[in-house]
Amino acid sequence: MIDELVCPQQSPTADSYYNHLIFDNSLTDGSYFHSHAAAIAPSRLEVIDGKMPVATDHFLSPPNSLRLCWLSQTGGDWRAELDTESWPGKTHRLSGDSLSFWCYSEKDIPANHLPMIGFTIKGGLHTMPMQMTGILPDLPAGHWCQIKIPLAAFPNATIQFDFSLIEKIIFTQGIDDGKPHTLYIDEIKLLISSKKEMCQPPVGLTAMAYDRHIDLSWPEVTDPAVAYYQIYRSYDGQDFLPIGIQNRNFNRYCDYVGQAYAKLFYKITAVSYDYFESAASETVSATPRPLSDDELLDMVQEACFRYYWEKAHPDAGLALENVPDDEHLVALGVSGFGVMALIAAVARGFVSREAAIERLLKIINFLENADRFHGAWPHFLGGRTGAVISVFGQYDNGGDLVETAFMIQGLLAARQFFNRGAGAEMQIRVRITSLWEAVEWDWYRQTPDNDFLYWHWSPDYEWHIGHPLIGWNEPLIAYLLAIASPTHPVPASMYYSGWASSAEKARRYRQTWGQTTHGDQYWNGNTYYGIKLPVGVSTGGPLFFTHYSFLGFDPRNKRDKFTDYFENNRAIAHINQAYCVENPGKHQGYGESFWGLTASHDHTGYLAHEPSPRADNRTITPTAALSAFPYTPDASMAALKHFYYDLGDKIWGIYGFRDAYNPMVNYVSNIFMGLNQAPITVMIENYRSGLLWDLFMANPEITTMLGRIGFKLN
C-alpha cells in the first residue's frame, strides 16, 4: 500500500530527470556503490563492504530499494551517506524546493525513532541534522509512505545553502531507543511544489527478442507530467509483476531475462512526478531465441549504434559525450566516430539510406555554421548554438586538432560511401570536401619549422596548453590527415620528426606518461608475455590507441620503417589479453574471456587503464576487447559471449555494454560513453567486411599521403 505523510507537492516542469534524482535504483545487487555506511558500538548498522545494502524484496520503483537496519544505543553512533551520482562532464544541478523520499517498514516506527536527516553541500557545507519529531507522523507498518520535507525547513544556522549543489544526503542516529529497526528507502529526489498531475497511458509499445534479453521501445515522451515509465512482465499474459523503470529521458528498456526461451508478455505505465500511475499500455509479447555468432554481432553493433541515432542532439545531429550527460553539450570526436557507425548501420540495414542522408546533412549543416579556429572545431560545442564550450577550463576555448581529425576521418569515409549520382548524395560529397579543405593543419604546427603538430590553439591564449602530438597513442590520424591535406598540408617528414620522433623532447614526453623507458624512442622491441612489441610505450598502453585512428585508417599491410601496423596492433591486443590471463594483481574474474584494459569511466573517475600494475585498478572496459575484433577475433568473441551470456544482467543495457565493470568493488558504470560505443560497431564491421577501412582508404588524398610518407604496402 502507498500513503503520503505530508501534504501534496506539485510535479516539476519537463526538464531532465537527472535534475531531481538522488536515488531511484541500484545497478548492482548486494550494496549500493554510491554510498558509505559505518557504526560506532554499541550502536549497530547493517553494512556491506562499507556501503548501504540493496533490497529486492521491497521497493516502490522496481527492481530494488535501499535497506537501513539499525540499533541506536547510548554512547554509540551510526551514519549512512548517499552520494548524488556523477559522471564525466556532468553539469546538472539539482532542482526542487522539497526533499521527497519513500519509506516502508514491516513494523510501526514512531516518528521520534526515525533517523535524523541532513545534507552535505558542495564546498564543504553541511546542514544540521533534522529530527523527524514534529515534522512527520508515525510511520505505519506495511505501507509505502512518501515523506516530503521543504528544503527551507532544514536547520542551517545563519548560512544560506544552495541546495542545487547537494553532494550527499545523510541519515544519522536519532533517539537512543535500544531497539532494532528496518527501513526500506526508495525514490529519493528533489521535487518542486505544484499541483498533482496525471499521465496519459503509453501507446505504441513494441518488443524485440534476442537470446537473453528483450528490447522494449515506445514513442518519444511528449507528456510533461511523466517522470518515468514502469515496466511489467508476465509469463502467462495474465499475472504481471513490476520489473523495472525507465526515466523520461529514454524511450527504450532492456529486460535481461537470462536463458528463458519462453514467450514473455509486457506492458508499461507512465508515472508522474507525484507518483500517479497511468493506465497500462497495450500488451506485447516476444520469445527469446538462440542467436548465431553473426546474429550476435548484429545485435551488438546495432545496440551500440543506437547511442548515436537515438541520443543525438535534435538540432546538431551530433552525439553527446556520455549518456546520460548535459543534453545540449555535443562532442566532436565522438560524433566523428558516430558518422562511421552510421555508415555501418546503413550497410547492415539498421537504418535506411534515406534516413542516414537526412541525419548526415543535419550534421554537415551544423559543422558548417559552428565555431572553427583556423579550420579546426573545438572538442565540445553547444548543440543549439555551435559555440565552443570550454569543458576543460578557460584555456580550452579554441580548436582541437585531434577531435577535428576524428571528425574528418568519419566524414571522408562518408564521402566515399554516399556516392550515388546527383541530388542529396552529391551535396554530401561536395560539402564534406569543403569542410575537409578548410582545416588549416599547417597552422597547428605552431611555427613554420616546428617538428610537431599541437593539440590545441586558442584565440585568447594561443598555444598556452602547449600539448605536442607525439606517438605512440591515439593522434596518429591527425598526422596522416595533415600530410594528406590538399590545401593546408604539412611536410611528410613530420611523420618521423613529430609523430615517430626519437628526439629528446619526444623521449621525455613518452617517459612521463609511460613511466618507463620502454618505447621512449617510439620503437620498443621488448617481449611481454612471450609477445614481441615493435612499437609502443610500456606494454602498448590502453587499447584505444589501436582503435581511434584505425577506425578508418586500414593498418593491414601498411609498414613504415618500424613495423607493420596491423601486426603491431595485434601484438598490443594480445599483450592486453595475456596480462589479464596472467593476472599479476589477482583481480577477480580476470582471464581469457574477461579482459580488456582501456580508457573508461570507473569507480574513481575517468582513467586510461592499461596492462600494467600502475594503471590497472581492476576495471574491465568492454570496448577494449570488442573493438579489437579485427586483431583478436577468437579472443574478442570469447569476451563478447562472456560479457553477454554470463555478465549481461549486470552490464548489458539499451545501448549495448555499459562503459566499465569492476566486480571487486561491485561497480558498474552508470553511463554509456560515446568514445567507446561507436568503435565497437565500426571495428566489428571492419572485422566482418572491412567496410570502413575500404571507404576511408579509397579517398585519393589518402593514397597520395601513403606515398609521401613512404609506407610500404606488403
Side-chain angles (χ1 to χ4, degrees):
M1 297 180 64
I2 296 178
D3 287 340
E4 184 176 51
L5 291 189
V6 179
C7 61
Q9 311 278 321
Q10 287 185 19
S11 63
T13 56
D15 52 356
S16 174
Y17 181 84
Y18 301 100
N19 287 93
H20 307 281
L21 177 66
I22 297 176
F23 172 84
D24 57 6
N25 282 293
S26 172
L27 288 173
T28 55
D29 296 331
S31 62
Y32 182 51
F33 179 81
H34 302 283
S35 70
H36 308 275
I40 298 174
S43 294
R44 297 200 301 267
L45 179 70
E46 183 185 9
V47 176
I48 299 178
D49 296 327
K51 300 185 182 297
M52 292 183 68
V54 171
T56 57
D57 51 344
H58 296 291
F59 49 75
L60 181 78
S61 63
N64 54 48
S65 66
L66 300 173
R67 184 172 62 244
L68 197 60
C69 297
W70 76 91
L71 185 147
S72 298
Q73 297 272 38
T74 302
D77 198 8
W78 62 263
R79 180 183 181 96
E81 302 177 351
L82 275 78
D83 300 328
T84 55
E85 290 191 59
S86 64
W87 49 81
K90 181 180 179 182
T91 58
H92 298 101
R93 287 188 170 207
L94 290 171
S95 175
D97 58 22
S98 297
L99 172 67
S100 168
F101 59 96
W102 291 76
C103 294
Y104 178 92
S105 176
E106 295 175 346
K107 299 179 180 179
D108 293 341
I109 303 180
N112 64 341
H113 289 200
L114 289 168
M116 295 191 292
I117 303 175
F119 295 113
T120 296
I121 313 293
K122 186 175 182 179
L125 301 176
H126 303 267
T127 64
M128 297 172 64
M130 173 183 282
Q131 295 271 4
M132 295 295 98
T133 306
I135 300 293
L136 303 174
D138 295 344
L139 187 68
H143 293 254
W144 275 103
C145 299
Q146 185 180 19
I147 296 174
K148 291 183 178 179
I149 307 171
L151 295 177
F154 280 86
N156 58 8
T158 59
I159 300 173
Q160 186 66 40
F161 290 116
D162 182 353
F163 287 102
S164 71
L165 299 177
I166 290 173
E167 292 184 330
K168 300 176 186 288
I169 181 170
I170 303 169
F171 298 92
T172 56
Q173 177 169 315
I175 190 172
D176 306 334
D177 63 353
K179 298 178 181 179
H181 299 286
T182 298
L183 188 67
Y184 298 89
I185 304 172
D186 205 353
E187 284 292 312
I188 307 173
K189 295 176 180 176
L190 294 193
L191 297 180
I192 299 172
S193 303
S194 69
K195 64 182 181 180
K196 299 188 176 188
E197 293 185 78
M198 296 291 292
C199 301
Q200 295 297 315
V203 296
L205 179 66
T206 64
M208 176 68 71
Y210 296 91
D211 198 318
R212 299 295 170 89
H213 78 280
I214 306 292
D215 268 339
L216 301 175
S217 62
W218 53 91
E220 188 174 353
V221 180
T222 57
D223 185 351
V226 174
Y228 62 83
Y229 288 93
Q230 186 144 300
I231 318 299
Y232 293 85
R233 183 210 301 142
S234 170
Y235 288 92
D236 60 8
Q238 301 297 320
D239 297 322
F240 284 84
L241 293 175
I243 59 168
I245 65 171
Q246 183 58 279
N247 77 63
R248 64 167 291 115
N249 291 27
F250 303 92
N251 58 330
R252 183 177 295 279
Y253 181 84
C254 170
D255 180 26
Y256 190 91
V257 295
Q259 189 167 354
Y261 300 138
K263 192 172 187 178
L264 301 170
F265 301 84
Y266 296 90
K267 60 184 180 181
I268 66 174
T269 61
V271 180
S272 75
Y273 284 95
D274 289 299
Y275 297 94
F276 286 98
E277 188 171 7
S278 76
S281 69
E282 68 277 20
T283 297
V284 297
S285 63
T287 304
R289 60 184 180 83
L291 299 182
S292 67
D293 285 358
D294 275 346
E295 289 174 317
L296 195 61
L297 292 176
D298 282 345
M299 178 194 79
V300 173
Q301 284 184 279
E302 183 175 11
C304 293
F305 159 71
R306 286 196 204 110
Y307 175 104
Y308 307 86
W309 188 251
E310 295 184 353
K311 299 309 292 182
H313 190 277
D315 299 325
L318 269 63
L320 310 182
E321 180 82 347
N322 313 305
V323 171
D325 202 354
D326 182 333
E327 295 172 5
H328 295 292
L329 178 73
V330 297
L332 187 74
V334 164
S335 300
F337 297 170
V339 168
M340 304 185 87
L342 178 64
I343 294 168
V346 174
R348 290 286 162 189
F350 304 151
V351 295
S352 70
R353 192 177 185 96
E354 292 71 25
I357 288 170
E358 182 180 355
R359 173 63 60 83
L360 187 55
L361 286 171
K362 177 182 287 189
I363 291 171
I364 291 170
N365 186 66
F366 178 82
L367 292 173
E368 288 173 338
N369 293 282
D371 282 351
R372 300 183 79 174
F373 303 88
H374 291 278
W377 294 280
H379 189 150
F380 295 103
L381 305 101
R384 289 173 290 197
T385 65
V388 58
I389 297 179
S390 306
V391 171
F392 297 131
Q394 70 182 82
Y395 304 116
D396 183 36
N397 70 336
D400 185 311
L401 195 66
V402 176
E403 297 293 312
T404 295
F406 293 155
M407 174 56 74
I408 293 296
Q409 179 181 217
L411 291 176
L412 289 180
R415 188 178 70 171
Q416 294 301 117
F417 182 75
F418 293 100
N419 59 358
R420 296 180 183 174
E425 297 203 22
M426 176 176 284
Q427 184 184 157
I428 285 172
R429 297 193 297 275
V430 170
R431 293 169 73 182
I432 285 176
T433 298
S434 178
L435 291 171
W436 153 231
E437 292 181 351
V439 181
E440 298 177 30
W441 306 92
D442 51 345
W443 174 265
Y444 285 81
R445 196 178 176 184
Q446 193 178 113
T447 62
D449 59 350
N450 202 310
D451 286 333
F452 301 95
L453 290 171
Y454 282 78
W455 205 304
H456 306 89
W457 179 81
S458 160
D460 299 314
Y461 307 103
E462 297 186 327
W463 308 102
H464 179 87
I465 293 178
H467 191 155
L469 303 187
I470 297 171
W472 169 260
N473 45 24
E474 75 272 29
L476 169 62
I477 192 66
Y479 275 94
L480 299 181
L481 291 172
I483 294 167
S485 172
T487 52
H488 297 278
V490 301
S493 59
M494 288 184 67
Y495 178 85
Y496 289 110
S497 69
W499 166 254
S501 173
S502 59
E504 183 62 24
K505 177 178 180 177
R507 294 182 64 187
R508 288 198 307 269
Y509 175 86
R510 298 185 187 105
Q511 290 169 8
T512 298
W513 73 258
Q515 297 183 31
T516 179
T517 58
H518 288 205
D520 68 347
Q521 299 193 64
Y522 188 70
W523 66 87
N524 186 309
N526 290 291
T527 297
Y528 307 95
Y529 308 104
I531 303 160
K532 186 174 182 179
L533 179 62
V535 165
V537 177
S538 184
T539 52
L543 269 181
F544 74 88
F545 290 178
T546 68
H547 303 157
Y548 294 177
S549 284
F550 298 95
L551 298 182
F553 181 66
D554 182 358
R556 294 174 297 181
N557 303 315
K558 307 294 188 306
R559 172 180 287 276
D560 64 7
K561 68 181 184 181
F562 298 113
T563 188
D564 175 305
Y565 281 93
F566 184 84
E567 295 304 324
N568 197 76
N569 288 354
R570 188 203 299 270
I572 291 173
H574 277 304
I575 289 168
N576 201 292
Q577 188 209 24
Y579 170 89
C580 293
V581 171
E582 183 164 300
N583 193 10
K586 308 302 179 187
H587 299 332
Q588 180 180 335
Y590 275 30
E592 290 189 358
S593 59
F594 189 58
W595 66 280
L597 302 171
T598 193
S600 63
H601 180 229
D602 66 22
H603 59 290
T604 66
Y606 183 75
L607 186 67
H609 313 97
E610 56 183 279
S612 166
R614 68 170 180 81
D616 170 22
N617 67 0
R618 306 168 292 185
T619 300
I620 294 296
T621 305
T623 192
L626 303 186
S627 297
F629 248 101
Y631 314 127
T632 55
D634 293 339
S636 294
M637 181 60 82
L640 189 159
K641 290 181 176 180
H642 179 56
F643 294 157
Y644 180 67
Y645 290 112
D646 302 326
L647 302 175
D649 60 326
K650 299 176 178 64
I651 64 174
W652 180 262
I654 58 174
Y655 298 133
F657 295 105
R658 289 188 172 273
D659 197 47
Y661 177 48
N662 185 329
M664 293 188 73
V665 297
N666 199 30
Y667 171 82
V668 174
S669 177
N670 56 359
I671 65 167
F672 300 93
M673 182 174 283
L675 284 169
N676 288 342
Q677 300 308 102
I680 296 173
T681 296
V682 172
M683 291 301 267
I684 288 178
E685 191 57 44
N686 281 331
Y687 158 69
R688 299 177 81 180
S689 70
L691 175 64
L692 283 309
W693 282 344
D694 292 343
L695 290 169
F696 180 78
M697 300 306 293
N699 285 282
E701 301 96 323
I702 302 305
T703 302
T704 302
M705 172 271 296
L706 293 175
R708 288 175 182 168
I709 293 174
F711 269 97
K712 295 179 180 178
L713 308 183
N714 297 343

